[in-house]
Amino acid sequence: MTVPEPFTTPDPQAVADSRIMDFARHAGMAGSDYAALHRWSVTDLEGFWGAVWEYLDIDADTPFERVLAEERMVVNPAAVDAPDLIDHYARLGAERRGRWT
């Protein structure tokens, strides 16, 4: 499979200041790139989604315990290849709490 060249490269400071890199630092993965976060999200469901839960400060009736109630692998291929999802869910959670800036 041939991977096309990117049509643009983000400014390194913009990458460092991005929400996904803030999440990576918070989760103890400072210096990781998107590919490393993606691998983590599909190889350690409990660890990754627990870190997302904590990072987004999810307010729920019950604490985070597991991703799935039963042992099975459920992956939406479109979701795991979309780096904007963390921003999307961060926005939803923050709006719910009235803290989005």
Side-chain angles (χ1 to χ4, degrees):
M1 179 172 139
T2 303
V3 177
E5 290 294 317
F7 65 89
T8 186
T9 302
D11 174 69
Q13 189 60 49
V15 171
D17 293 341
S18 70
R19 187 75 182 241
I20 197 165
M21 290 298 108
D22 185 56
F23 166 71
R25 287 187 294 274
H26 176 83
M29 293 191 64
S32 296
D33 60 6
Y34 176 75
L37 291 171
H38 174 253
R39 264 190 314 282
W40 179 33
S41 76
V42 297
T43 60
D44 178 9
L45 294 177
E46 305 299 331
F48 179 82
W49 292 107
V52 169
W53 180 281
E54 180 182 305
Y55 178 74
L56 297 178
D57 193 24
I58 303 294
D59 182 20
D61 293 336
T62 58
F64 175 84
E65 292 179 4
R66 298 189 57 158
V67 174
L68 301 172
E70 57 188 66
E71 292 296 323
R72 60 184 170 147
M73 181 68 148
V74 178
V75 176
N76 176 344
V80 297
D81 289 332
D84 294 335
L85 280 180
I86 287 180
D87 279 341
H88 170 77
Y89 287 109
R91 184 176 295 111
L92 287 176
E95 284 175 349
R96 189 173 136 224
R97 293 185 309 274
R99 296 192 317 207
W100 187 253
T101 57

